[in-house]
Amino acid sequence: MGILEKFQQTICEHEAEVAVLFTGSKTPLYIILGLACSLLLSLAVKNFLFDHYLLASLLGLFTLLVLIDVIALHKGKTIPIHTNIVVTLLLICLGLTIHQVDISAIFWAFPIAIAILYIVPLKTAMFFFSLMLALVGVETFTQVDSSTALRTCVALSLTMFISSLIAQHMRRLQRSLKEESIRDPMTNALNRRQLSSHLSNCLARKQRHGIDSVILLLDIDHFKQINDTYGHAMGDRVLKRVTQTIFNQIRETDLLFRVGGEEFILLMHDIDLLSARRVAEKLRLSISEQAILDHYPVTVSIGISMALPHIKEDDWIRQADSALYNAKDGGRNRVSYHEVSA
């Protein structure tokens, strides 16, 4: 369980650090890199004609590496040239241009700084910003008067700082939108669209490695009557309290999905039927003992179904639904489980 939890945490951290232009549609990335390649290739030709052979070669190499990565992205493959290498080469080209060609080339540092934020993760961008500021500072203070050099460094620092704030805000919005798209806003349970892939993974682990998984299908008893008697606002309160109770009782690796108005699926990994029944009884008892509504007991009925090696997702849910029906038919506020044929 510890390994699975660490793996999920690593995935979340990785996703949070993905560069902005490498998420979602790749069209903006293609446009930016296409323009950059066209511009830098023309600069490479110009520098070659002016006998700046080293700078021309590096600009040509940078363009080639970018094209290799763009082609790989377009084909849906992992980029062969790491973005850190590409950005490092770009900064070397910038430094050589400022040092060998003209101090006015320092103005290229501003669009490059903004572009870096969208090509590499934020922490990596901060490292490259430090290198760029050091490079610009050395060149400006040695080639122009100190007042102009200071203004240039301050302006570049502000550009980096403001761009970083905007990039951070965009990343927070991305995470927020992603969270809203996969979770029910009222109960914080995952929505039904996320269920299929998790069920498929559990069934694959069962078939390949014999790892057990269990579905608990929970339904709030007489929920329509609660809405009709107490109103929808009180019904929403019941949903929140019930799901909060479930979250407080389950493990971090267990997943809760809202699959209907008052129906939830609790997907539990690496657990046998006996342990799952204990969890279900504990949940049922915890919910029934709470005074969520005055003079009206709130209870749940629960159906349990085990993952089988060759079962389909729909059949797995159907078995849990059958067990839930038996629990309701037996008087509600009960736990029932699907009998596995020998």
Side-chain angles (χ1 to χ4, degrees):
M1 304 307 297
I3 295 176
L4 179 60
E5 183 179 340
K6 289 178 181 178
F7 176 74
Q8 290 175 333
Q9 183 178 358
T10 302
I11 291 295
C12 292
E13 290 174 353
H14 172 74
E15 289 180 347
E17 284 296 314
V18 172
V20 171
L21 284 180
F22 286 90
T23 60
S25 172
K26 298 297 186 297
T27 302
L29 179 63
Y30 295 149
I31 293 173
I32 291 173
L33 294 181
L35 291 173
C37 287
S38 301
L39 176 62
L40 292 173
L41 190 59
S42 64
L43 290 176
V45 173
K46 175 185 174 183
N47 280 282
F48 183 81
L49 295 175
F50 281 89
D51 299 331
H52 298 131
Y53 298 120
L54 177 59
L55 179 57
S57 300
L58 289 176
L59 287 170
L61 177 61
F62 171 82
T63 305
L64 177 62
L65 296 182
V66 170
L67 286 174
I68 292 173
D69 281 350
V70 168
I71 292 171
L73 276 175
H74 185 67
K75 292 183 177 180
K77 299 179 180 179
T78 304
I79 56 174
I81 313 299
H82 199 284
T83 51
N84 290 351
I85 297 175
V86 177
V87 173
T88 300
L89 185 58
L90 180 60
L91 293 187
I92 293 173
C93 292
L94 175 65
L96 280 174
T97 304
I98 297 171
H99 185 74
Q100 293 184 356
V101 181
D102 189 359
I103 187 63
S104 64
I106 203 159
F107 293 114
W108 286 110
F110 293 88
I112 288 174
I114 296 172
I116 286 174
L117 273 171
Y118 294 89
I119 296 173
V120 299
L122 188 59
K123 290 180 182 178
T124 308
M126 294 299 105
F127 171 75
F128 283 122
F129 282 174
S130 301
L131 292 181
M132 190 184 297
L133 275 173
L135 184 153
V136 168
V138 169
E139 291 296 334
T140 52
F141 277 99
T142 54
Q143 296 192 48
V144 300
D145 62 274
S146 57
S147 176
T148 302
L150 182 61
R151 287 198 300 270
T152 303
C153 291
V154 170
L156 182 58
S157 299
L158 285 174
T159 301
M160 293 174 175
F161 176 70
I162 295 171
S163 300
S164 300
L165 291 180
I166 295 172
Q168 282 182 307
H169 180 64
M170 289 177 63
R171 284 175 169 85
R172 282 195 293 268
L173 286 177
Q174 278 185 322
R175 287 195 293 268
S176 176
L177 289 172
K178 183 177 180 181
E179 191 71 12
E180 288 178 7
S181 70
I182 66 174
R183 290 192 179 274
D184 172 51
M186 181 188 300
T187 63
N188 204 35
L190 295 166
N191 60 42
R192 187 163 195 147
R193 291 192 300 272
Q194 312 304 312
L195 180 60
S196 179
S197 61
H198 289 284
L199 292 181
S200 179
N201 290 336
C202 289
L203 292 175
R205 285 196 294 268
K206 176 62 177 178
Q207 187 168 352
R208 295 170 188 168
H209 309 295
I211 300 175
D212 290 324
S213 296
V214 176
I215 280 178
L216 272 64
L217 182 57
L218 302 92
D219 185 270
I220 301 176
D221 297 325
H222 303 296
F223 186 73
K224 184 179 183 303
Q225 187 175 340
I226 293 174
N227 272 335
D228 293 342
T229 305
Y230 294 92
H232 289 281
M234 196 59 68
D236 292 346
R237 178 187 172 187
V238 169
L239 286 170
K240 292 176 184 178
R241 287 285 298 274
V242 167
T243 51
Q244 188 58 53
T245 301
I246 295 172
F247 279 125
N248 290 339
Q249 299 285 341
I250 62 178
R251 306 166 300 180
E252 290 186 12
T253 52
D254 298 331
L255 301 174
L256 183 65
F257 302 83
R258 187 179 182 186
V259 294
E262 71 275 16
E263 276 195 350
F264 297 85
I265 282 182
L266 177 61
L267 180 59
M268 307 184 73
H269 307 283
D270 194 16
I271 188 171
D272 57 34
L273 180 59
L274 182 59
S275 299
R277 289 175 63 183
R278 291 197 189 104
V279 171
E281 283 291 351
K282 185 178 180 182
L283 288 174
R284 183 195 64 78
L285 190 61
S286 296
I287 293 168
S288 65
E289 288 179 343
Q290 292 192 50
I292 300 176
L293 295 177
D294 295 333
H295 312 298
Y296 194 100
V298 175
T299 62
V300 295
S301 298
I302 304 175
I304 304 175
S305 177
M306 290 284 297
L308 300 175
H310 301 290
I311 198 173
K312 295 181 179 179
E313 297 170 23
D314 291 342
D315 293 332
W316 193 10
I317 295 176
R318 196 175 295 114
Q319 290 178 356
D321 192 52
S322 176
L324 175 62
Y325 175 82
N326 292 335
K328 286 183 169 295
D329 193 49
R332 291 185 168 82
N333 192 22
R334 294 174 182 271
V335 173
S336 179
Y337 65 95
H338 180 263
E339 296 278 0
V340 179
S341 301

